[in-house]
């Protein structure tokens, strides 16, 4: 398949013989592509259904400065290495090129411009029915949901948000700090996205940059003397949480300066404990130096808006020209599979990777966790595990 000439959208598939049905993979990002390849390697027909007009749609929308925080070698998908010329920390555009090449080299069967809105069991209980745009009904032997962790931007319902007279933008719509040159900017949220956007604003000449923090993050060096933080994440992943918390605390004291005087004290909860709750560490790409030099000012969390002012949790008020909300995303799986009882109270799949929900055999999910060992690495591993699980079911 080539992105420049996508296959025509499928019409209804009503194969009477369940063995003739393909496995449908919903989502043409890294997880979906890797799973489709792994299924093909097991001799199973896989059809990727992507609502955008090309693969890697979510990556194309990210801000210009973005580079992977995981190494090139440990970010490749099964069956194709990422070119060395892309460097150790792969840029956004290069990753998109890699995903396009991946689909082309492996001749994956990909349908673009078709959105799956609902997944149901077939009436006879032998497969899965996908309801898609244009009234299409696709019948598969199994389904892999890979619509992505960063699916739908989440913008908090701050009181007075509609009254704000400045610019309010979610990080999903942020492209470059060049658009903010000379302006007073506030970034809300200190995850990896918020931290990197704050640095990007500084480097592109914003007049003033403040970073609103509700929960102090764990900050780690992306690489120390050539040793990538990802390597440590892989090594410690299977260790007891309490032990990892102690180790990471000692490592932080040795490698990360105390920023308490600048508004970023050391976290009072352990790194692994926080990661298990879904909060991965912030990898430093310039934030530490920017905070130490006063180029990024730390302020309290945002509580609301009042005209041209932003009300902070400590009672103070500031008047930035622009606010960039790096406030995360939601998975938005409720409409797709929520009726099947396969999501927890927070909308996350109750089973992941090769495991399927108890009452939904043949329904798989990939890409809905944030492992400290690297998301792309885990997507690649999950793809092969899912493919083997599907093969076992087919036998």
């Amino acid at each position: 398949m080539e992105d420049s000439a996508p296959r025509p959208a499928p019409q209804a598939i009503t194969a009477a013989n369940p063995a003739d049905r393909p496995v449908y993979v919903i989502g043409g990002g890294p997880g979906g592509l890797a799973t489709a390849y792994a299924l093909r390697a097991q001799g199973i027909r896989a059809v990727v259904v992507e609502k955008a007009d090309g693969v890697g749609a979510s990556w194309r929308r990210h801000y210009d400065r973005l580079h992977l925080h995981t190494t090139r070698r440990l970010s490749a998908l099964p069956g194709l290495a990422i070119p060395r010329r892309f460097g150790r920390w792969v840029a956004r555009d290069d990753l998109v090129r890699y995903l396009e090449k991946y689909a082309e080299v492996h001749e994956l069967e990909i349908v673009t411009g078709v959105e799956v809105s609902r997944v149901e069991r077939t009436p006879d209980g032998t497969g899965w029915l996908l309801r898609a745009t244009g009234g299409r009904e696709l019948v598969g032997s199994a389904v892999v949901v890979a619509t992505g962790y960063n699916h739908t931007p989440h913008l908090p319902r701050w009181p007075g948000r509609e009254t704000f007279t400045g610019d309010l933008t979610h990080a999903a719509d942020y492209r470059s700090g060049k658009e903010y040159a000379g302006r007073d900017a506030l970034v809300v949220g200190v995850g990896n996205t918020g931290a990197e956007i704050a640095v990007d604003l500084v480097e592109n000449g914003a007049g003033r940059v403040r970073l609103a923090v509700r929960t102090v993050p764990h900050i780690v060096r992306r690489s120390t003397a050539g040793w990538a933080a990802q390597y440590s994440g892989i090594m410690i992943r299977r260790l007891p949480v309490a032990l990892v918390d102690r180790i990471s605390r000692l490592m932080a004291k040795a490698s990360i300066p105390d920023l308490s005087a600048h508004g970023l004290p050391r976290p009072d909860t352990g790194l692994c404990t926080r990661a298990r709750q879904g909060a991965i560490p912030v990898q430093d790409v310039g934030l530490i130096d920017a905070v130490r030099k006063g180029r990024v000012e730390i302020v309290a969390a945002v509580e609301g808006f009042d005209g041209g002012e932003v009300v902070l949790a400590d009672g103070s008020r500031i008047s930035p020209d622009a606010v960039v909300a790096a406030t995360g995303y939601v998975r938005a799986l409720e409409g797709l599979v929520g009726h099947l009882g396969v999501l927890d109270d927070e909308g996350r799949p109750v089973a992941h990777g090769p495991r399927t929900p108890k009452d939904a055999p043949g329904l798989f999910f990939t890409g809905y966790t944030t492992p400290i060992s690297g998301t792309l690495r885990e997507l690649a591993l999950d793809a092969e595990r899912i493919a083997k699980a599907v093969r076992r079911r087919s036998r």
Side-chain angles (χ1 to χ4, degrees):
M1 173 269 177
E2 294 182 4
D3 288 342
S4 59
R7 296 175 182 269
Q11 299 303 312
I13 298 176
T14 57
N17 182 1
D20 295 335
R21 298 169 180 168
V23 174
Y24 280 103
V25 180
I26 307 174
L33 299 180
T35 303
Y37 165 77
L39 287 164
R40 284 274 301 275
Q42 291 287 334
I44 300 168
R45 183 187 173 203
V47 179
V48 178
V49 183
E50 167 57 49
K51 69 177 181 179
D53 59 3
V55 300
S58 63
W59 286 93
R60 297 173 193 271
R61 294 193 299 266
H62 284 308
Y63 48 92
D64 296 346
R65 189 184 194 274
L66 179 66
H67 285 68
L68 293 182
H69 291 163
T70 52
T71 67
R72 180 190 71 253
R73 291 183 59 191
L74 294 180
S75 299
L77 304 182
L80 186 67
I82 298 177
R84 290 176 59 88
R85 68 178 183 278
F86 288 173
R88 193 182 195 195
W89 313 106
V90 181
R92 176 202 64 185
D93 290 348
D94 286 335
L95 182 65
V96 171
R97 293 187 186 98
Y98 168 72
L99 296 177
E100 292 173 340
K101 190 67 174 179
Y102 189 87
E104 178 184 347
V105 167
H106 295 308
E107 299 180 333
L108 301 182
E109 191 172 349
I110 303 175
V111 178
T112 59
V114 174
E115 181 175 7
V116 178
S117 58
R118 187 176 175 89
V119 176
E120 304 172 354
R121 292 290 283 173
T122 54
D124 62 5
T126 62
W128 292 93
L129 172 66
L130 285 66
R131 300 190 183 278
T133 50
R136 298 176 181 88
E137 294 183 349
L138 314 176
V139 178
S141 60
V143 175
V144 181
V145 181
T147 52
Y149 192 86
N150 294 337
H151 186 276
T152 301
H154 169 65
L155 191 63
R157 295 184 178 277
W158 287 301
R161 190 181 74 186
E162 296 78 9
T163 71
F164 183 54
T165 57
D167 294 334
L168 174 59
T169 304
H170 189 275
D173 298 313
Y174 176 92
R175 291 295 171 268
S176 170
K178 295 177 182 178
E179 304 167 14
Y180 296 81
R183 305 182 71 188
D184 184 334
L186 169 68
V187 180
V188 184
V190 68
N192 277 294
T193 297
E196 188 156 6
I197 287 176
V199 173
D200 190 51
L201 288 166
V202 168
E203 292 179 348
N204 281 283
R208 185 176 188 179
V209 179
R210 284 175 280 202
L211 181 59
V213 176
R214 183 175 299 278
T215 303
V216 179
H218 284 272
I219 302 176
V220 299
R221 300 285 187 184
R222 186 170 65 174
S223 179
T224 302
W227 179 266
Q230 182 185 12
Y231 299 160
S232 298
I234 294 171
M235 291 177 62
I236 66 177
R237 194 175 181 204
R238 304 295 181 185
L239 297 178
V241 171
L243 176 60
V244 175
D245 284 347
R246 288 197 295 271
I247 293 173
S248 60
R249 190 174 298 114
L250 294 173
M251 291 176 63
K253 288 182 177 180
S255 61
I256 304 297
D258 186 358
L259 300 174
S260 299
H262 301 280
L264 279 181
R266 298 191 187 279
D268 54 8
T269 54
L271 182 149
C272 192
T273 296
R274 189 83 65 82
R276 291 290 177 90
Q277 299 168 351
I280 61 175
V282 171
Q283 295 206 21
D284 179 46
V285 292
L287 180 66
I288 292 174
D289 285 344
V291 170
R292 293 177 71 182
K293 295 176 181 177
R295 301 177 72 185
V296 171
E297 305 169 46
I298 304 300
V299 298
V302 171
E303 290 294 312
F305 292 80
D306 184 8
E309 295 183 323
V310 179
V311 183
L312 302 180
D314 60 4
S316 62
R317 293 172 175 244
I318 58 177
S319 302
D321 302 321
V323 176
V324 180
T327 45
Y329 297 78
V330 294
R331 286 2 101 207
L333 292 169
E334 289 78 7
L336 187 68
V337 297
H339 56 285
L340 297 172
V342 297
L343 304 178
D344 64 17
D345 293 339
E346 296 184 8
R348 298 172 301 193
V350 297
H352 195 269
R355 296 182 298 110
T356 61
K358 179 181 179 181
D359 297 324
L363 180 62
F364 300 87
F365 295 86
T366 184
Y368 299 98
T369 61
T370 54
I372 58 177
S373 51
T375 298
L376 291 176
R377 176 180 182 273
E378 295 303 321
L379 286 175
L381 295 173
D382 268 349
E384 296 180 332
R385 294 167 183 151
I386 290 171
K388 291 176 181 178
V390 172
R391 168 53 72 190
R392 289 193 295 271
R393 290 188 70 254
S394 68
R395 290 173 177 170

